[in-house]
Amino acid sequence: MEHFQLKNILNIKYMKKYSDNIQYGTAGFRTKANALEYILYRMGLLAVLRSKVKNAAIGLMITASHNIGSDNGVKLIDPAGEMLEASWEQIATNLVNVEDANLVSTIEHIIKEENINMSVDAIVITGRDTRESSPTLLNAAVTGIEVLYGIVQDFGIVTTPQLHYLVVCTNTKNNYGNPTLHGYYIKLSEAFKHVRQKQINNGQYVAELLLDAANGVGGIAAKEFQKYLGTTLAINIYNDGNGELNYMCGADYVKVQQVPPVNFSLKSNFRCVSIDGDADRIVYFYTDEDNKFHLLDGDKIATLIAEYLKELLKESHLSFQLGLVQTAYANGSSTDYILNVLQIPAICVSTGIKHLHNKALDFDIGIYFEANGHGTVLFKETVVKTIKEAVINPKRSTNEKEAASKLLNIINMINQTVGDALSDMLLVETILHAKGWDIMEWEKMYEDLPNKQLKVKVNNKSIITTANAGRQCITPEGLQDEIDKIVSQYKKGRSFVRPSGTEDIIRIYAECENLCDLNKLIIDVALLVYDYAGGIGPKPQL
Ligand code: G16
């Protein structure tokens, strides 16, 4: 019977069409949408195996997040909401790249190696972003899931963090929240409204913002949130789906280009927010009266959250170990501020949310953010329990209990399953509201070092390999020494290069004290990459 089922997995519609090897990258498989159908089919098969081996529901999200509209992608979400375990990324890469003739034997091999009991039920929770190619790709995944008798629970168009939330709620038997979109909106928005009611003096804070939704699924979710939030926060939505996805808008564009998005009605000194194509990243920005652009990115969000949590812990007389996890892209000033002013440990890990999430689990309260605005806060179960007890402990003072109650609501408004742009937005709004701050006040926490990012196209990006959380280039030999020579000429200079795991390019990052020097620094490093790693197309220039 089992053998008969496995033979059935060879489906003429989903034969392997491309010979290029594709890797399960920073956030799953990502490439041109028209190359993905058989990959989605095979990932449907794999999701069933993963669900059986974990005896729990698995998530399958179809999105290419910040990438251009003609790209698409797929990532699997493990039972506790985390990204697919690293050893299974390798299994996924292998499964997707085998020839059709070896598909059945590869599946058989995975079943044997992973000791999978095929009689266990499998549930795969699926979701997709708004890309035109997503419904076709979903069909391919569903066919793969059903041929192995997996049960599909499809939630249609959702943000990536919503899908993570749905997986966790399903697997924790509603303990984390109700496994519905209504459950998601109500949990986060009720917690947000609850904290607000208790706060009276709001200083410079105005309960209104301008949101750039990248023409993606976040626009839909933001409109839904607005219904639940009522008048507590006015969200004016731009790039809400009528324009091209991520094109000159969205969190990635605003962060990398350091300019406001297009199709956006700027008001000077007014709080603006950009999220990305699947609503898991967020940055804030504003333009001042001289039309100068100011960015408050993931580092600024992380430090704001860390400072506020530290204050609440102090007020409630609760003592937990706080930690902040960043990547090499974190601005040097933010790391200095975390270590020296906040006096919280700051850890640097490789790019990719899975690395940050895993490290943040080491702390009682682990805050993690990539500079690009991807992040959240994780609270240990024991921490939540202690805070709950503090709220109702008659021996504690009113002040202590109130601070503990705020902490509890903050925990409820945070999507701990993964970085969630809209949940993060509610959290930032809560903190600014509590402090009575406008965006300029927040910006003053510390001054970013001038920084820039560039992309260089090369023949084969895997020629560049890195170590030390992406900060040191191992191959091509000699490249790192040359980068070091350049960087040493600049005060507070820092630069690194690494292959992107989501785009077919090499990313270059640079920062230094003097804005005028920055362009020279980054162009010199980019030219090195172009020469050492086989650059193609025009040479890098600003
Ligand atoms: C994904 C990952 C992020 C990562 C980003 C860029 O974001 O989830 O952790 O920072 O890609 O990765 P890379 O530099 O390897 O291209 P998203 O928003 O595109 O899913």
Side-chain angles (χ1 to χ4, degrees), residues 26-27 30 64-67 75 83 276 278 280-281 329 351-353 356 370 372 374 498-503 507:
T26 311
R30 267 191 210 177
S65 191
H66 76 274
N67 293 45
K75 55 186 159 195
M83 298 294 182
D276 72 338
D278 63 343
D280 56 8
R281 291 203 223 162
Y329 293 100
T351 292
I353 227 59
L356 291 104
E370 292 184 297
N372 63 24
H374 205 163
R498 54 171 283 278
S500 160
T502 59
E503 296 174 56
R507 291 195 197 282

Side-chain angles (χ1 to χ4, degrees), residues 10 25 85 91 110 146 162 191 195 200 234 242 266 320 374 382 423 469 482 500 519 532:
L10 264 187
E85 189 183 304
I91 294 175
I110 299 171
E146 290 183 340
Q162 283 174 337
V195 188
I200 345 147
N242 289 319
L266 284 163
F320 299 117
H374 205 163
T382 47
S423 156
E482 293 302 318
S500 160
N519 286 348
Y532 269 78

Side-chain angles (χ1 to χ4, degrees), residues 22-24 29 46 84-97 110:
I22 180 164
Q23 297 285 320
Y24 196 100
F29 293 108
L46 192 71
L84 182 65
E85 189 183 304
S87 64
W88 274 67
E89 289 186 359
Q90 201 41 54
I91 294 175
T93 296
N94 187 35
L95 179 67
V96 158
N97 289 305
I110 299 171

